[in-house]
């Protein structure tokens, strides 16, 4: 028996990897967060598979479900939104599974920020504009950020910022970031990208909070901030330069 932590991507079934589909099809139990997933994703579950929506369950309840599946010798598809390497709680779930002697592995998926960048046709690293992408989150009534990971510290670098779990704090964050990027810095918000309920907002740090509030966004959204989102007239990459030394 194995627990497969599977990156379910931004929610659309056609953005699942072939490996993800194979693992879902072979698992007798599927744990998923109903907030984020397209029903077509769950259609890959085999007939008779037990489906458990975890959006209102505690970590203890989720692990109890997995332990029960293990006792029956059933494989578990544990679907994670986006990619399991970021904000998926794989670390804490894996630690408990290790303690219980239950085998587990990880299947990567398409992260929401990548789907959003693709949807608006933008590269997040543009030559001589920005070459770094910072994945971070907002913090107010949630797990404290480690010392040194204050948003202002990342903003000072001028990198493209990808803000998770931040949509409810857009106005506060936009005001804070404007001190470093300027109010005219471009912003893209992607909500449920690639799903039937997809919403893309484009604006600046000056107006994005109004757009978010007008749209009523409260969850399942990622915020991209940085000059790369509207860059033009930039230098060409050395990677394809005709002056690059060939070996």
């Amino acid at each position: 028996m194995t627990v497969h932590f599977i990156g379910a991507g931004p929610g659309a079934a056609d953005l699942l990897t072939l490996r993800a589909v194979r693992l879902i099809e072979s698992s007798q139990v599927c744990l998923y967060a109903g907030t984020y997933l397209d029903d077509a994703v769950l259609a890959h579950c085999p007939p008779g598979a037990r489906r458990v929506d975890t959006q209102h369950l505690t970590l203890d309840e989720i692990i109890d479900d997995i332990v029960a599946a293990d006792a029956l010798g059933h494989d578990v598809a544990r679907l994670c939104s986006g990619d399991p390497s970021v904000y998926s709680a794989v670390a804490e779930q894996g630690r408990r599974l290790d303690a219980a002697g239950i085998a587990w592995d990880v299947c990567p998926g398409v992260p929401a920020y990548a789907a959003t960048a693709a949807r608006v046709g933008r590269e997040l690293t543009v030559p001589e504009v920005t070459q770094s992408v910072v994945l971070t989150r907002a913090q107010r009534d949630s797990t404290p950020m480690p010392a040194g990971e204050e948003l202002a510290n990342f903003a000072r670098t001028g990198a493209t910022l990808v803000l998770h779990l931040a949509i409810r704090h857009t106005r506060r964050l936009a005001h804070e970031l404007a001190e470093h990027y300027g109010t005219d810095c471009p912003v893209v918000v992607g909500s449920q990208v690639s799903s039937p309920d997809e919403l893309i907002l484009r604006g600046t740090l000056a107006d994005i909070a109004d757009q978010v509030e007008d749209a009523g966004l409260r969850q399942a959204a990622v915020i991209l901030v940085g000059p790369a989102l509207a860059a033009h007239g930039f230098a060409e990459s050395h990677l394809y330069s005709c002056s690059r030394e060939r070996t």
Side-chain angles (χ1 to χ4, degrees), residues 137-154:
R137 65 170 177 83
Q139 194 276 317
R140 176 165 283 183
D141 302 318
S142 57
T143 306
M145 295 291 283
E149 291 193 19
E150 292 80 11
L151 190 59
N153 288 342
F154 296 131

Side-chain angles (χ1 to χ4, degrees), residues 200-218:
I200 299 290
L201 303 178
R202 306 185 200 211
T204 66
L205 287 172
D207 63 23
I208 197 64
D210 289 337
Q211 292 191 51
V212 167
E213 290 170 8
D214 288 345
L217 292 181
R218 301 287 293 168

Side-chain angles (χ1 to χ4, degrees), residues 1 62-72 76 96-97 100 102:
M1 178 271 180
I62 291 170
I63 297 301
D64 286 345
D65 260 312
I66 293 175
V67 169
D70 177 67
L72 296 172
V76 175
R96 294 197 181 200
L97 296 180
I102 296 175

Side-chain angles (χ1 to χ4, degrees), residues 130-188:
T130 182
Q131 292 289 282
S132 301
V133 178
V134 175
L135 310 181
T136 188
R137 65 170 177 83
Q139 194 276 317
R140 176 165 283 183
D141 302 318
S142 57
T143 306
M145 295 291 283
E149 291 193 19
E150 292 80 11
L151 190 59
N153 288 342
F154 296 131
R156 290 188 188 100
T157 69
T160 300
L161 298 185
V162 176
L163 304 177
H164 293 83
L165 310 174
I167 199 64
R168 298 186 184 191
H169 310 293
T170 303
R171 187 169 298 279
R172 172 174 62 85
L173 296 175
H175 178 74
E176 182 177 347
L177 292 175
E179 296 180 17
H180 303 280
Y181 289 93
T183 56
D184 60 347
C185 179
V187 181
V188 174

Side-chain angles (χ1 to χ4, degrees), residues 13 16 24 30-32 37-46 51 79:
L16 289 171
I24 295 170
C30 179
L31 304 181
Y32 66 97
L37 296 181
D38 189 320
D39 287 341
V41 172
L42 299 179
H44 291 295
C45 293
R51 303 179 184 182
L79 303 186

